[in-house]
């Protein structure tokens, strides 16, 4: 039996859709906080179970019968709670008799990092190791799907305002991550340990400026700003202050580096080339 937590999330739904093409539906258990939203899978024969990492006492029941469990990391970035949520899920999985854990981690996780993204995944990978179970960390690089939306406020009057720092990122499509996760969960192939899942190349913000020029077919001037200047620019471009602050945070974090990881996992596991970055930039034409 195959289990997937976070089944109602964007990645969870894509993983289930991919998995349905590989294993019988009655061998899939979809665990979510919102089972009522997954009727489309129930009618195909997928078992739905309620599961919330904030209610760990109920999780062993949700995981009962599962042998291979994909734990999708939560989106709860408040208060450093996430690695503890994942730890609860891992302990419950062990209690329920799960044999092999799969976890959606990130490239270069680091339990000692000040960056909560890297720290949460690093701490969770420690929980995986401590579980004594077989484990696989699906280390997804940053999704490229939202790239156009993320960069659009940085563009105005032929200029592209970027954060300071030359860090590069190997942007990957969520769909590619889902296809790889489903195949590995199904044991095709049966991989253990950390697996980097990335796009085909790593690009800095300066590189992205060049790519945007090519995609738009016109020259874009790149200018690096301090975080305060970037924030002021986003606000002048119509973003509310909180959203502007969040965007500065993510852009400056990526510019500082640590995501310059490129692997051939997508091609090796799926047989399909990973989605090129230019595809993510196409919406900027509109
Ligand atoms: N690589 C990247 O660039 C990137 C970007 C964004 C997010 N992520 C990470 O990848 C994960 C999956 O991405 P996504 O695109 O599917 O995100 P999403 O659509 O925002 O989904 C959020 C996920 O968090 C789960 N979740 C939230 N609170 C939970 C709780 N208390 N207990 C159990 N599950 C909980 C949700 O499960 P249910 O609603 O089904 O309960 C859902 O699967 C995210 O949650 C985040 O950790 C990675």
């Amino acid at each position: 039996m195959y289990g997937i937590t976070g089944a109602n999330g964007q990645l969870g739904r894509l993983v289930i859709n991919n998995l349905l093409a590989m294993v019988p539906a009655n061998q899939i258990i979809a665990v979510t906080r919102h089972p009522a939203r997954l009727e489309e899978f129930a009618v195909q024969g997928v078992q739905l179970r309620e599961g919330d990492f904030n209610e760990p006492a109920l999780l062993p029941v949700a995981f009962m019968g599962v042998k291979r469990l994909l734990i999708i990391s939560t989106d709860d970035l408040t208060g450093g709670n996430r690695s503890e949520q994942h730890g609860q899920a891992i302990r419950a999985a062990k209690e329920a008799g799960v044999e092999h854990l799969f976890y959606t981690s990130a490239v270069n996780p680091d339990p000692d990092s000040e960056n909560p993204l890297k720290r949460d995944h690093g701490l969770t990978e420690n929980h995986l190791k401590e579980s004594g179970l077989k484990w696989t960390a699906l280390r997804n690089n940053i999704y490229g799907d939202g790239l156009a939306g993320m960069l659009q406020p940085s563009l105005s009057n032929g200029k592209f305002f970027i954060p300071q720092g030359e860090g590069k990122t190997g942007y990957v499509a969520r769909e590619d991550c889902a296809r790889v996760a489903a195949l590995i969960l199904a044991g095709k192939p049966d991989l253990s340990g950390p697996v980097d899942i990335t796009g085909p190349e790593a690009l800095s913000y300066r590189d992205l400026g060049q790519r945007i020029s090519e995609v738009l077919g016109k020259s874009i001037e790149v200018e690096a700003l301090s975080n305060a200047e970037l924030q002021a620019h986003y606000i002048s471009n119509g973003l509310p202050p909180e959203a502007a602050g969040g965007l500065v945070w993510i852009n400056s974090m990526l510019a500082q580096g640590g995501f310059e990881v490129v692997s051939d996992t997508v091609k090796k596991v799926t047989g399909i080339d990973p989605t090129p970055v230019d595809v993510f930039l196409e919406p900027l034409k509109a």
Side-chain angles (χ1 to χ4, degrees):
M1 295 295 284
Y2 305 91
I4 296 140
T5 76
N8 185 48
Q10 297 169 85
L11 185 74
R13 286 170 171 272
L14 290 170
V15 171
I16 295 173
N17 272 321
N18 278 282
L19 200 59
L20 278 166
M22 298 172 207
V23 303
N26 64 7
Q27 289 179 15
I28 303 174
I29 295 175
V31 181
T32 175
R33 293 166 302 164
H34 309 289
R37 298 183 192 168
L38 291 179
E39 267 309 306
E40 76 212 61
F41 293 126
V43 296
Q44 295 179 66
V46 172
Q47 288 187 50
L48 306 184
R49 299 212 188 138
E50 189 163 346
D52 182 336
F53 297 174
N54 291 333
E55 305 216 23
L58 306 176
L59 287 178
V61 178
F63 298 156
M64 203 55 72
V66 172
K67 293 296 167 213
R68 295 168 75 86
L69 176 67
L70 172 62
I71 295 176
I72 292 187
S73 51
T74 78
D75 58 355
D76 186 352
L77 290 174
T78 53
N81 192 29
R82 216 156 55 123
S83 59
E84 189 41 40
Q85 288 178 326
H86 300 153
Q88 309 267 35
I90 290 166
R91 285 188 286 277
K94 186 167 182 173
E95 198 182 321
V98 170
E99 291 170 0
H100 193 149
L101 290 167
F102 301 80
Y103 168 69
T104 57
S105 188
V107 296
N108 289 328
D110 176 2
D112 300 318
S113 175
E114 285 178 10
N115 177 336
L117 295 186
K118 293 186 172 297
R119 189 180 58 235
D120 289 350
H121 291 301
L123 290 169
T124 303
E125 288 200 15
N126 284 348
H127 289 310
L128 290 174
K129 290 169 201 158
E130 287 156 13
S131 73
L133 301 177
K134 263 180 96 175
W135 61 272
T136 307
L138 302 165
R139 292 182 174 175
N140 296 330
N141 212 323
I142 297 297
Y143 296 152
D145 303 68
L147 199 52
M150 203 168 107
L151 300 182
Q152 199 274 331
S154 303
L155 285 160
S156 60
N157 301 327
K159 283 199 166 189
F160 178 45
F161 297 104
I162 64 171
Q164 285 161 351
E166 298 301 322
K168 297 186 177 206
T169 302
Y171 299 100
V172 63
R174 189 190 277 109
E175 174 68 54
D176 289 342
C177 296
R179 205 174 292 134
V180 168
L183 280 157
I184 293 179
L185 182 61
K188 302 173 181 185
D190 193 14
L191 298 180
S192 293
V195 181
D196 287 328
I197 302 165
T198 79
E201 59 181 337
L203 299 176
S204 67
Y205 281 84
R206 207 167 286 284
D207 299 330
L208 285 171
Q210 177 64 35
R211 289 300 171 87
I212 293 169
S213 294
E214 288 164 19
V215 167
L216 297 186
K218 62 178 181 188
S219 174
I220 300 286
E221 195 186 329
V222 175
E223 186 178 333
L225 299 180
S226 69
N227 284 356
E229 289 169 330
L230 212 47
Q231 171 132 3
H233 171 72
Y234 292 152
I235 291 170
S236 74
N237 237 356
L239 245 59
E242 201 180 330
L247 196 56
V248 170
W249 182 79
I250 180 90
N251 280 324
S252 59
M253 178 190 77
L254 296 181
Q256 292 314 304
F259 297 88
E260 191 175 345
V261 179
V262 172
S263 74
D264 59 0
T265 305
V266 172
K267 176 75 176 181
K268 262 190 169 162
V269 172
T270 69
I272 301 169
D273 287 327
T275 306
V277 176
D278 289 9
V279 169
F280 307 132
L281 299 177
E282 282 290 321
L284 287 174
K285 282 182 177 169

